[in-house]
Structures are given as structure tokens and as C-alpha cells.
Amino acid sequence: MNPILTYSNVTKQFGSLWALKDVSLTIEPGHIVGLLGPNGSGKTTLLKIACGLLCPSSGTVDVCGGPVGPQSKLRISYLPDKNYLSEWMRVSQIIDLFHDFYSNFDRNKAYEMLGRLDISPNRKLKTLSKGTREKVQLILVMSRNADLYLLDEPIGGVDPAARDYILRTILTNYNEQGSILISTHLISDVEKVLDQIIFLKNGSVALQSSVDDVRAQYQKSVDELFREVFQC
């Protein structure tokens, strides 16, 4: 079985700024991977390159055994860290839009998740709180039957009481033959759902390991190791 995502010596520059430096990594099917690092470490840039929203300055990226392009975009479901939906639209209209746009979008799954989160499909986006808008975006992303889910700070804007529910929503609604890459700096909240971790530091991979190996080798939790590696 081919890897879901492969980076080979990927570098990305914005003028004189190095966002990524010679990044090589592989994500296999069936894993939930934490992309962990402080703000400015290159996490969002790495995700956008996989989606085709940015092009690498050098190196190559493969998605499900092929290059990034129109075909790979059907295999990836991406949650950005910014709101990108039109606030004048009702939630039901946004669901219709996604259903028309993505052939692998499951409308029934979207309405089921809305019901579990007690979000009315008749509400306009502009009338929802910031946290609820982020939940709607997550529902849209997780309602696609994709091979790779790229989630950029999926719990950053919700209150601590809702984070466990959001993580359960992610776990119970993704294609289990695919993989999830979660970018976050809220390590203690997501550690319990992760199979593997990638530490990104100053645009370079500082560590890629399974969570079990981290605990066995370092005798620390992922959160404790993160604080040690990235201490000021």
C-alpha cells in the first residue's frame, strides 16, 4: 500500500524567509498524526503545500502515490485555520454548495453531525459564535470521504469543554482507511488521540515518531517532550 503523503527534501522560501527547510516525511494509511510546533514553525505552510495552495521552492510532494494536482485535491479534505465561508449564507446553503462541489461529500453525515452539535441548519453563519462557525467548518471537512484529512488548529477556537467532543467528532467521522494530520500547539488536548507525532521546529523536522516510542524512549508524555524541545 502506497503512503498517503510523502515529502521529499521540500523547501519553501518567501523572499529571504525560510518557512520550510529540507523537509522529508512519510505518512502511512490508517494513522492519526500530530503536526506539532510553536507558532511560526511552518505547520500551515506544510499543509498548504500538500493541498496545492502553495508550491514548494524545491523538493517534491506525493499524495497517494501521485503528484499534487487536480486528482490529489479529491483525495484531500482540508480545514484551514481561517474562516473562508460567506457569512451571509445559511448553514444549509453551505452544505448544498459542498455537495455540488465535492463528489465525495456526504450530505446526510453533515446533517447528522449538525444535529449532534445542536447547530440549526437554518442559521446564517454571521449569527453564529466564532466557535460554532469553526464547528461548521469542521463538519464540512469531516463529511467528505477523503483519503487524507489536513486539519489546521481544529480546536484552537473552541472552549476547553467542547474540545473532547470535537476530537470525538473527528475520530468517528473520518475514512479509517485514510489518515489525519492535525496541526496544533495544544498538545495535551490532542495527545490521547494521536498514533504518531511530527515535531516541526524553525521549518525543519526535529522528530518523527510513534507516540508509544516517545513514551518508551524518553519516559515522557508527548506534551512533556514538546515543552522540553521547544522551551524558550
Side-chain angles (χ1 to χ4, degrees):
M1 187 178 293
N2 287 329
I4 290 281
L5 181 65
T6 304
Y7 282 70
S8 301
N9 306 113
V10 172
T11 294
K12 178 62 179 177
Q13 285 182 265
F14 296 99
S16 60
L17 174 65
W18 294 76
L20 296 176
K21 302 176 186 176
D22 197 33
V23 169
S24 294
L25 58 88
T26 299
I27 295 176
E28 302 290 341
H31 290 101
I32 300 176
V33 183
L35 180 63
L36 312 178
N39 293 332
S41 58
K43 302 189 300 296
T44 295
T45 298
L46 188 146
L47 296 181
K48 285 184 175 181
I49 287 175
C51 297
L53 297 174
L54 292 174
C55 294
S57 302
S58 62
T60 59
V61 178
D62 286 342
V63 177
C64 300
V68 174
Q71 292 302 314
S72 72
K73 292 181 180 182
L74 185 63
R75 318 291 290 271
I76 290 176
S77 191
Y78 171 54
L79 176 70
D81 64 341
K82 301 286 194 300
N83 178 45
Y84 62 95
L85 302 172
S86 298
E87 295 200 342
W88 60 267
M89 297 181 74
R90 299 186 187 277
V91 174
S92 60
Q93 292 174 310
I94 298 170
I95 289 176
D96 290 341
L97 176 66
F98 268 63
H99 183 262
D100 290 343
F101 198 81
Y102 295 109
S103 61
N104 59 2
F105 184 81
D106 187 335
R107 189 203 301 264
N108 292 331
K109 181 184 285 188
Y111 276 105
E112 181 182 322
M113 283 190 276
L114 284 175
R116 289 206 302 268
L117 290 172
D118 197 27
I119 300 172
S120 170
N122 296 318
R123 293 279 298 276
K124 289 187 176 182
L125 206 65
K126 66 182 179 181
T127 68
L128 302 177
S129 67
K130 180 177 183 292
T132 303
R133 288 198 298 270
E134 293 191 1
K135 291 174 186 176
V136 170
Q137 289 191 149
L138 178 64
I139 286 171
L140 295 169
V141 168
M142 300 311 300
S143 294
R144 291 182 58 198
N145 185 29
D147 295 300
L148 177 62
Y149 299 83
L150 302 177
L151 311 179
D152 197 352
E153 299 290 353
I155 60 173
V158 298
D159 60 86
R163 287 174 187 169
D164 284 346
Y165 197 95
I166 294 297
L167 290 173
R168 287 200 302 273
T169 299
I170 292 170
L171 288 174
T172 56
N173 288 283
Y174 83 103
N175 171 15
E176 293 185 1
Q177 303 303 313
S179 291
I180 301 177
L181 183 57
I182 302 176
S183 164
T184 186
H185 57 272
L186 299 173
I187 316 302
S188 60
D189 291 288
V190 302
E191 179 173 349
K192 58 193 170 188
V193 306
L194 301 179
D195 302 312
Q196 298 181 349
I197 57 156
I198 298 168
F199 281 179
L200 204 60
K201 186 174 185 179
N202 298 324
S204 298
V205 175
L207 175 68
Q208 181 172 10
S209 174
S210 73
V211 171
D212 289 341
D213 286 348
V214 166
R215 292 169 180 156
Q217 180 177 348
Y218 297 97
Q219 299 295 303
K220 300 176 186 291
S221 69
V222 173
D223 185 51
E224 289 170 334
L225 182 61
F226 179 88
R227 292 173 187 272
E228 181 179 299
V229 171
F230 294 99
Q231 64 183 335
C232 296

